[in-house]
């Protein structure tokens, strides 16, 4: 009880101090509508914010209040999610469609308002409605409040780099076609850096993003994987990085010549322009964790150009193989947190709630009739967590149901452990796993006591396909205590836990055919989604939600805003 009261008092004191010490209100208006752009030899009409791709970069300081007026002039329903923001006592602003709000209808509007407390670094915002995330996204940069400094060497300039994914098609049609066939969506046609595909694509010689640098200066790259479906290696020819933050959490400085990011993840890395005056390619190439699963295997590249450089051909980096899991795993596991740095909170040692969650791709029965139903097959692709395939509700958001104690929208019986045990990572399941690939459709949540400490073992399965899956938890950062390959074994793997300075994330890339153990404190009431951040997987059901109960005053879910969209 003493631990609970101390933690609660500390959290509220931090929240109040941040809110009161900074009076700055940063206000934006996001006009969401059609934009005609030229890419890959064709003109396309896309959905974008304020007529730009990517959308506006938001710059705030820790402690500020951010207000974004979203005006939907597009032909589609839409919501906006502020990826990685804690949303302390502002749960109605989180944004996932049907979870914390109903969508903003065409012609409608909604104002997102929240305080940014205890966070510094690089995050991002994006649509949380269908495939619109492919063009509705942008950077969200949180700088230290005035008078505070970064816990790493000073830099000359910071540069956001957003890796995106591009289709030569209407992305809403791409998603609808996938749902109709029951199969995966068609592969994208290109990747982009800050909206530009780069000179390796047709008609794109003049659509290559460039960073101009001065010799001897140090730059902070704010790298964001805003792609829908693929993880990426990132390299700059002849240059090395010093990673200083991931997912807006500071790290011990980590030197590397290659970075890897899953969709949803961010990396802050310093580079020093200390090479010969020339041009150097900076390249994103997909990390393909399962060669048997089709992907867009193209690269995208931009240019790092030195001031006064000659016009010689740019230098190309020696890229890793796209299937180089050891290199990806080395990066993902070697980064550690900056213990006792700014906003550091020690790892809670007592765990109140233990969960073991299996997840992966599965199947659902195809009940449609006719020769074109599900491409003539008797199944469609599905996905599940603990053998429950998540379905978003209709008619009322889950959090409105929670706040109003409305029954029939969701149930509180999401299992804390798999409903049956098997050899989760047996490679034979990729071929012979159809018997256990089917899972019931449901809208189930796990209810957590306010301020409880939760530990989750995330266990990948090999059913149909072993892949590295990025799992994102809304509203909370979590400690990554350990990760590895094969089936998690507590008797062996608990000894590997880093309880001193683990990395802190909001999105974890769970190793292909492996597991990860995360721990977080449920100190914010509301309805919070945990899901795979591959865009194909949320509609298929690779998700669940945590219902965090109210705490004592003032830690109660506030009433919904007056302009909250209605279904």
């Amino acid at each position: 009880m003493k631990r609970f009261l101390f933690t609660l008092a500390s959290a509220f004191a931090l929240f109040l101090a941040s809110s009161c010490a900074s009076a700055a209100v940063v206000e934006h208006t996001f006009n969401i509508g059609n934009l005609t752009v030229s890419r890959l030899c064709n003109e396309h009409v896309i959905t974008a914010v304020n007529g730009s791709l990517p959308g506006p970069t938001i710059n705030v300081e820790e402690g500020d209040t951010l207000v974004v007026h979203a005006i939907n002039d597009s032909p589609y329903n839409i919501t906006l999610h502020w990826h990685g923001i804690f949303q302390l006592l502002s749960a109605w602003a989180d944004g996932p469609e049907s979870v914390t709000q109903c969508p903003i209808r065409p012609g409608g509007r909604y104002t997102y308002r929240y305080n940014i407390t205890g966070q510094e670094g690089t995050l991002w915002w994006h649509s949380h409605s269908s495939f619109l995330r492919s063009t509705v996204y942008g950077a969200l940069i949180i700088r230290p409040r005035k008078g505070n400094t970064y816990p790493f060497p000073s830099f000359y300039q910071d540069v956001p780099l957003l890796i995106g994914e591009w289709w030569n098609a209407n992305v809403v049609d791409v998603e609808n076609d996938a749902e109709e066939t029951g199969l995966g969506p068609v592969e994208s046609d290109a990747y982009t850096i800050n909206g530009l595909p780069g000179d390796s694509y047709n008609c794109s010689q003049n659509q290559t993003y460039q960073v101009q640098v001065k010799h001897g200066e140090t730059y902070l790259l704010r790298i964001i994987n805003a792609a829908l479906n693929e993880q990426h290696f990132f390299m700059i020819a002849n240059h090395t990085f010093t990673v200083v933050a991931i997912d807006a959490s500071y790290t011990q400085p980590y030197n590397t010549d290659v970075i890897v990011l899953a969709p949803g993840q961010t990396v802050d890395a310093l580079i020093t322009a200390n090479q010969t005056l020339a041009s150097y390619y900076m390249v994103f190439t997909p990390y393909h964790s399962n060669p048997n699963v089709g992907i867009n295997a193209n690269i995208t590249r931009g240019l790092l150009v030195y001031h006064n450089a000659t016009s010689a051909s740019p230098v190309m980096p020696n890229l890793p193989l796209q299937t180089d899991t050891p290199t990806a795993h080395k990066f993902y596991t070697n980064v550690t947190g900056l213990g006792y740095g700014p906003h550091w909170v020690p790892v809670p040692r007592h765990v109140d709630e233990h969960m073991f969650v299996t997840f992966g791709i599965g199947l659902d029965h195809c009940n449609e009739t006719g020769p074109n139903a599900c491409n003539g097959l008797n199944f469609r692709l599905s996905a599940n967590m603990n053998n429950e395939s998540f379905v978003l509700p209709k008619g009322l958001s889950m959090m409105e149901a929670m706040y109003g104690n409305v029954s029939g929208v969701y149930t509180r019986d999401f299992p804390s452990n798999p409903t049956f045990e098997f050899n989760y990572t047996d490679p034979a399941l990729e071929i012979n796993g159809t018997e256990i690939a089917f899972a019931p459709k449901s809208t189930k949540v796990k209810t957590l006591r306010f301020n409880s400490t939760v530990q989750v073992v995330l266990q990948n399965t090999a059913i149909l396909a072993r892949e590295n899956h990025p799992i994102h938890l809304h509203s909370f950062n979590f400690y990554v205590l350990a990760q590895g390959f094969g089936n998690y074994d507590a008797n062996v793997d608990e000894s590997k836990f880093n309880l001193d300075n683990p990395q802190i994330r909001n999105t974890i890339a769970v190793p292909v055919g492996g597991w990860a153990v995360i721990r977080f404190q449920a100190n914010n009431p509301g309805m919070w989604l945990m899901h795979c951040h591959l865009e194909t997987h949320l509609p298929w059901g690779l998700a669940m939600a945590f219902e965090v109960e109210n705490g004592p005053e003032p830690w109660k879910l506030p009433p919904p805003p007056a302009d909250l969209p209605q279904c």
Side-chain angles (χ1 to χ4, degrees):
M1 185 62 177
K2 288 182 179 179
R3 179 186 67 87
F4 172 83
L5 291 175
F6 176 78
T7 304
L8 182 60
S10 298
F12 190 60
L14 173 65
F15 181 71
L16 280 181
S18 180
S19 300
C20 297
S22 174
V25 176
V26 179
E27 197 162 358
H28 288 261
T29 297
F30 278 13
N31 291 290
I32 306 162
N34 288 343
L35 173 68
T36 300
V37 297
S38 177
R39 295 289 186 275
L40 307 186
C41 312
N42 294 290
E43 283 196 343
H44 302 270
V45 177
I46 65 171
T47 302
V49 174
N50 293 358
S52 66
L53 176 70
T57 295
I58 295 176
N59 286 280
V60 294
E61 292 181 1
E62 192 271 327
D64 286 349
T65 294
L66 180 60
V67 179
V68 178
H69 306 286
I71 302 171
N72 186 10
D73 291 326
S74 83
Y76 307 111
N77 293 339
I78 203 161
T79 66
L80 298 177
H81 171 54
W82 318 93
H83 188 108
I85 292 291
F86 292 158
Q87 299 293 359
L88 290 170
L89 296 180
S90 56
W92 300 103
D94 192 45
E97 182 176 335
S98 300
V99 179
T100 62
Q101 68 170 96
C102 294
I104 309 170
R105 303 294 185 185
R109 60 175 61 204
Y110 179 48
T111 294
Y112 295 89
R113 180 188 298 268
Y114 52 89
N115 183 264
I116 298 172
T117 304
Q119 297 183 270
E120 296 174 10
T122 303
L123 295 174
W124 63 301
W125 58 266
H126 60 81
S127 167
H128 216 292
S129 298
S130 70
F131 267 37
L132 291 175
R133 194 183 98 203
S134 65
T135 56
V136 179
Y137 66 91
L140 200 172
I141 297 171
I142 309 169
R143 306 180 191 279
R145 65 176 63 212
K146 288 181 177 59
N148 294 348
T149 60
Y150 293 99
F152 49 79
S154 61
F155 53 90
Y156 178 73
Q157 185 179 0
D158 59 348
V159 181
L161 296 176
L162 292 87
I163 171 72
E165 196 162 4
W166 177 267
W167 276 262
N168 280 330
N170 181 304
V171 293
V172 174
D173 292 341
V174 169
E175 182 184 26
N176 290 339
D177 290 345
E179 290 183 355
E180 288 178 9
T181 63
L183 303 178
V186 296
E187 295 168 11
S188 60
D189 295 286
Y191 300 108
T192 60
I193 299 176
N194 289 355
L196 300 176
D199 61 7
S200 60
Y201 294 97
N202 291 335
C203 306
S204 302
Q205 261 328 107
N206 297 322
Q207 292 190 332
T208 302
Y209 185 75
Q210 296 189 19
V211 177
Q212 303 285 333
V213 297
K214 295 182 178 180
H215 192 275
E217 298 289 359
T218 296
Y219 296 80
L220 178 66
L221 303 183
R222 299 181 180 273
I223 312 164
I224 300 168
N225 189 341
L228 269 67
N229 294 315
E230 307 306 337
Q231 305 187 47
H232 280 83
F233 295 108
F234 178 63
M235 296 187 72
I236 300 178
N238 293 10
H239 290 74
T240 58
F241 307 101
T242 300
V243 174
V244 292
I246 54 175
D247 290 4
S249 294
Y250 292 121
T251 67
Q252 294 284 350
Y254 176 63
N255 297 320
T256 178
D257 62 354
V258 59
I259 286 170
V260 61
L261 308 91
Q265 292 184 331
T266 71
V267 173
D268 289 0
L270 297 170
I271 65 161
T272 299
N274 55 10
Q275 298 300 302
T276 303
L277 300 185
S279 296
Y280 300 86
Y281 276 119
M282 47 185 187
V283 183
F284 287 97
T285 183
Y287 164 44
H288 195 182
S289 62
N290 187 333
N292 296 321
V293 176
I295 68 165
N296 174 359
N298 295 314
I299 67 169
T300 185
R301 61 192 185 188
L303 286 170
L304 188 79
V305 181
Y306 278 69
H307 182 63
N308 291 332
T310 64
S311 59
S313 297
V315 182
M316 187 72 178
N318 185 18
L319 298 172
L321 295 175
Q322 293 184 349
T323 55
D324 191 350
T325 288
T327 292
H329 190 65
K330 178 182 177 182
F331 179 86
Y332 280 141
T333 55
N334 277 15
V335 177
T336 55
L338 186 63
Y340 302 98
H343 311 296
W344 174 263
V345 177
V347 181
R349 299 305 176 103
H350 173 78
V351 176
D352 302 295
E353 188 79 50
H354 287 270
M355 297 181 69
F356 189 104
V357 178
T358 60
F359 61 91
I361 303 303
L363 300 173
D364 188 25
H365 298 285
C366 181
N367 298 318
E368 293 89 345
T369 59
N372 297 322
C374 298
N375 274 9
L377 303 173
N378 61 357
F379 63 85
R380 59 173 58 247
L381 289 173
S382 182
N384 66 84
M385 286 184 159
N386 277 355
N387 204 44
E388 296 289 342
S389 189
F390 187 76
V391 178
L392 291 170
K394 304 291 185 183
L396 193 70
S397 74
M398 297 172 70
M399 198 156 71
E400 287 177 282
M402 173 190 175
Y403 182 82
N405 197 27
V406 178
S407 61
V409 177
Y410 62 89
T411 60
R412 296 181 171 92
D413 53 346
F414 182 84
S416 295
N417 294 282
T419 53
F420 62 95
E421 296 182 3
F422 57 98
N423 182 359
Y424 306 119
T425 56
D426 183 357
L429 292 174
E430 296 194 70
I431 300 173
N432 303 318
T434 54
E435 290 185 4
I436 57 174
F438 292 87
K441 295 289 185 179
S442 64
T443 308
K444 295 184 176 182
V445 307
K446 172 69 176 179
T447 301
L448 300 175
R449 288 187 297 104
F450 176 76
N451 217 45
S452 59
T453 298
V454 186
Q455 180 170 299
V456 185
V457 177
L458 295 166
Q459 175 68 63
N460 247 320
T461 66
I463 300 173
L464 301 187
R466 289 181 297 169
E467 290 185 273
N468 184 307
H469 285 94
I471 302 296
H472 171 51
L473 176 60
H474 287 227
S475 182
F476 303 105
N477 279 350
F478 49 75
Y479 304 93
V480 181
L481 302 186
Q483 49 191 313
F485 296 100
N487 296 330
Y488 175 78
D489 182 349
N491 294 323
V492 175
D493 295 323
E494 278 192 11
S495 63
K496 305 172 185 176
F497 284 9
N498 178 358
L499 297 172
D500 297 321
N501 64 340
Q503 60 179 265
I504 297 175
R505 286 196 175 273
N506 61 58
T507 306
I508 173 72
V510 182
V512 54
W515 52 270
V517 181
I518 65 173
R519 188 178 293 182
F520 68 97
Q521 194 161 15
N523 58 4
N524 194 19
M527 188 68 68
W528 307 110
L529 199 63
M530 183 171 76
H531 64 100
C532 181
H533 215 267
L534 303 182
E535 192 63 33
T536 53
H537 291 3
L538 180 55
W540 289 352
L542 212 164
M544 57 84 63
F546 290 107
E547 178 189 49
V548 179
E549 296 179 331
N550 284 318
E553 290 289 356
W555 290 98
K556 293 185 182 295
L557 182 63
D563 63 340
L564 186 72
Q566 300 300 302
C567 290

